[in-house]
Amino acid sequence: MIIVMLGAPGTGKGTVANLLKDKLKIPQVSTGDIFRKHIKEGTRLGKLVENYISNGNLVPDEVTNEIVESRLDDKDVEKGIILDGYPRTVNQAKELDKMLKKRNKKLNLVVNLTTPEEEIIERVVNRRVCSNQECKTVYNLVLDPPEKEGICNKCGHELVQRKDDNIETVKSRLDNYFKQTSPLIEYYEKQGNLYSTVVSKSINKLGKDVAKDIIDYLN
Ligand code: ADP
Ligand code: ZN
């Protein structure tokens, strides 16, 4: 099962992917998480991508494509993968199609999440994530706060705020999303594997509800 999570920042891609990963027992691969890990560890790749990310710009396609392609050959993704945050440009989507074709695999589902823009900004600035790489549960101080302040309910590790989760950066991330990523909706609509849904507190539908809907849809 190969799933792609599509959506602007703050729509809940990570949250939904994290829940789907538990239910479907296939790994969630977030290009954003991979980059952040490299930045934290100060690797060559980390140094290369740091400025793009802190300015809210996309990392160049060649760099991103290469990382994803090598991840596709890891043993743990044999049965499937949830790509969270990749592809993000038409060029990346075309590359992904080639990578899968080469491996005799095909994309089963593209989940497209949309959220009203004012909600996105509120969500991103109130987002906290579990610092435990094995857990990575996402919280929201307003919508879905942890039971104990600053501590993950699931694993007890510290919650942290991403550096790029501030108002200025989120605005450029949103701009880039509309310019570079949103054309993918049409791209996948044509391929016929798009599942679009709204995530919004105004209709009482948050990430966990969407994850349930997707599981029902797949069954
Ligand atoms: P969000 O969707 O909330 O912006 P991500 O964790 O998916 O967060 O991505 C964080 C940042 O990492 C992006 O703003 C971008 O700079 C970089 N990034 C992640 N995935 C990609 C990708 N597929 N192509 C280019 N840049 C990416
Ligand atoms: Zn945790």
Side-chain angles (χ1 to χ4, degrees), residues 7-10 13 30-33 35-36 49 52-54 56-61 64 68 84-89 92 124 127 162 164-165 173:
K13 292 189 300 290
S30 153
T31 37
D33 282 345
F35 293 142
R36 279 186 289 278
V49 302
Y52 294 104
I53 295 185
S54 59
N57 292 322
L58 292 185
V59 169
D61 286 341
T64 313
V68 172
D84 164 13
Y86 180 91
R88 250 174 157 101
T89 62
Q92 291 181 12
V124 169
R127 167 156 70 185
R162 279 168 44 183
D164 60 346
D165 276 352
R173 280 153 64 200

Side-chain angles (χ1 to χ4, degrees), residues 19-38:
L19 293 164
L20 289 179
K21 159 199 91 174
D22 290 341
K23 294 257 193 267
L24 301 171
K25 310 252 179 305
I26 50 176
Q28 165 192 11
V29 172
S30 153
T31 37
D33 282 345
I34 295 173
F35 293 142
R36 279 186 289 278
K37 186 162 184 276
H38 279 271

